[in-house]
Amino acid sequence: MSTVFERLQNSLQTTRFGKRIFFAPRIESTNDWARQLAEAGAEEGTVTVAQTQTGGRGRLGRQWISPQGGLWFSIILRPRQEPHDAAKLVFVTGLAVVEALHKKYGLRTETKWPNDVLINSKKVCGILSEMNTKGQTVNYVIVGVGVNANLCVEDDLPESLKTTSTSIMKELSRKIRLGPLLKVLLEEMERIYDYYLKNGFALLLEKWKKHAVFLGRKVTITNHNERLSGLALDVDVKGALILKLEDETTRRILTGDVALIS
Ligand code: BTN
């Protein structure tokens, strides 16, 4: 029996993205599943999607809570690029999520460096990209996207996430269909990814920055090693956050989490 996701393959307005969609009701992580398929030679655009994940992964080694009602999927990309360019793909994907949610539901979203999409300062989507290299080139990148689609924030998420998360259902006060959501996301992702491969990153980054509410604000950055506070000045062409510290020096930050200091 085919699912709404597998049936999508025929209606998608894409050339590669989602031409093969693998669905599981329950799996550990769609990123791991996509990686196994990529290792076995699956083509660019192959998608894995699950109703629930038992070991969903977030950035910085965190767990990603993935109950039924969310849209949890991963896509295999094979950009002909050097590994240091792969960081740009989270911005490309983030912008695609912004555009898709606006096109389909009229939602106005914000971007938070490096990989979050928010509505009214609350997280609605996270992106996890994991790369595999061969020598000096990218072999494949798995881009995992988690969208709090029909989550009931109060019931479905742990206490620690309730005040910082939202869902599309909560924002629209109605349930949405996950099939059409995946369709518009894949269409926007392919459109913006192809633009990026052809024209480069600069203009897309400018568009991404238009939604970046944290820019020009005082923030705290936390990562594995340190915690820094300062003014978020910019995101540079390599995707690094430029932070002005209290002693007026600037730092390029490559990884971490941003929190606004209100
Ligand atoms: C983050 O914000 O920390 C990134 C979250 C990414 C979650 C998605 S859900 C689909 C895919 N499979 C995973 O295990 N993680 C990503």
Side-chain angles (χ1 to χ4, degrees), residues 29-31 53 56-59 64 73 115 123 126-127 145-146:
S29 159
T30 57
N31 262 39
Q53 297 183 117
R57 285 183 286 111
R59 288 175 59 245
W64 181 260
F73 75 98
N115 71 330
K123 184 156 167 171
I127 298 159
V145 182

Side-chain angles (χ1 to χ4, degrees), residues 1-230:
M1 199 186 71
S2 64
T3 67
V4 281
F5 296 121
E6 289 154 328
R7 283 200 295 274
L8 259 190
Q9 289 160 143
N10 305 323
S11 69
L12 272 170
Q13 306 281 315
T14 57
T15 61
R16 288 128 40 241
F17 283 28
K19 289 294 159 189
R20 298 209 64 190
I21 298 180
F22 294 86
F23 169 76
R26 185 184 162 91
I27 200 150
E28 203 167 313
S29 159
T30 57
N31 262 39
D32 293 347
W33 191 11
R35 190 182 61 234
Q36 286 156 18
L37 294 170
E39 288 291 339
E43 283 175 21
E44 175 163 89
T46 302
V47 169
T48 54
V49 55
Q51 222 161 25
T52 57
Q53 297 183 117
T54 53
R57 285 183 286 111
R59 288 175 59 245
L60 306 171
R62 285 188 293 236
Q63 184 189 10
W64 181 260
I65 309 288
S66 319
Q68 195 162 338
L71 180 63
W72 323 122
F73 75 98
S74 305
I75 185 161
I76 299 172
L77 301 179
R78 295 187 182 276
R80 289 200 194 95
Q81 288 187 324
E82 293 181 11
H84 62 81
D85 280 325
K88 295 170 186 167
L89 292 172
V90 291
F91 298 89
V92 168
T93 308
L95 185 61
V97 173
V98 166
E99 302 264 325
L101 297 189
H102 186 242
K103 260 189 192 164
K104 183 82 190 157
Y105 309 107
L107 287 168
R108 300 214 169 269
T109 50
E110 300 132 31
T111 51
K112 192 173 95 171
W113 183 86
N115 71 330
D116 292 349
V117 179
L118 317 176
I119 301 176
N120 294 324
S121 306
K122 296 193 174 186
K123 184 156 167 171
V124 70
C125 169
I127 298 159
L128 174 71
S129 104
E130 297 176 311
M131 172 175 59
N132 179 277
T133 56
K134 207 184 249 170
Q136 278 315 297
T137 55
V138 171
N139 184 16
Y140 59 82
V141 180
I142 307 299
V143 178
V145 182
V147 186
N148 297 343
N150 290 325
L151 293 201
C152 175
V153 175
E154 285 70 28
D155 298 339
D156 294 331
L157 292 177
E159 214 53 53
S160 57
L161 296 177
K162 282 183 190 170
T163 54
T164 53
S165 308
T166 190
S167 69
I168 298 180
M169 181 169 85
K170 183 169 179 175
E171 297 299 326
L172 297 178
S173 304
R174 67 173 169 90
K175 264 194 167 178
I176 56 156
R177 285 161 61 215
L178 297 184
L181 171 61
L182 181 59
K183 173 173 154 68
V184 70
L185 284 168
L186 292 176
E187 288 172 353
E188 285 305 300
M189 281 166 73
E190 183 179 279
R191 184 177 70 77
I192 296 179
Y193 176 70
D194 282 349
Y195 179 94
Y196 161 66
L197 294 181
K198 198 164 162 219
N199 305 295
F201 187 49
L203 194 65
L204 294 178
L205 180 62
E206 286 314 309
K207 282 196 172 180
W208 184 95
K209 283 193 219 170
K210 288 211 170 95
H211 298 270
V213 284
F214 65 94
L215 284 178
R217 305 272 302 269
K218 278 195 135 189
V219 297
T220 301
I221 314 281
T222 321
N223 64 30
H224 291 306
N225 313 315
E226 56 184 351
R227 194 182 158 88
L228 290 169
S229 296

Side-chain angles (χ1 to χ4, degrees), residues 91 111-114 201 205-206 208-209 212 214-215 232-243 252-253 258:
F91 298 89
T111 51
K112 192 173 95 171
W113 183 86
F201 187 49
L205 180 62
E206 286 314 309
W208 184 95
K209 283 193 219 170
F214 65 94
L215 284 178
L233 283 184
D234 200 5
V235 174
D236 73 13
V237 288
K238 301 232 166 10
L241 178 70
I242 310 297
L243 189 69
R252 275 187 85 233
I253 317 272
V258 174

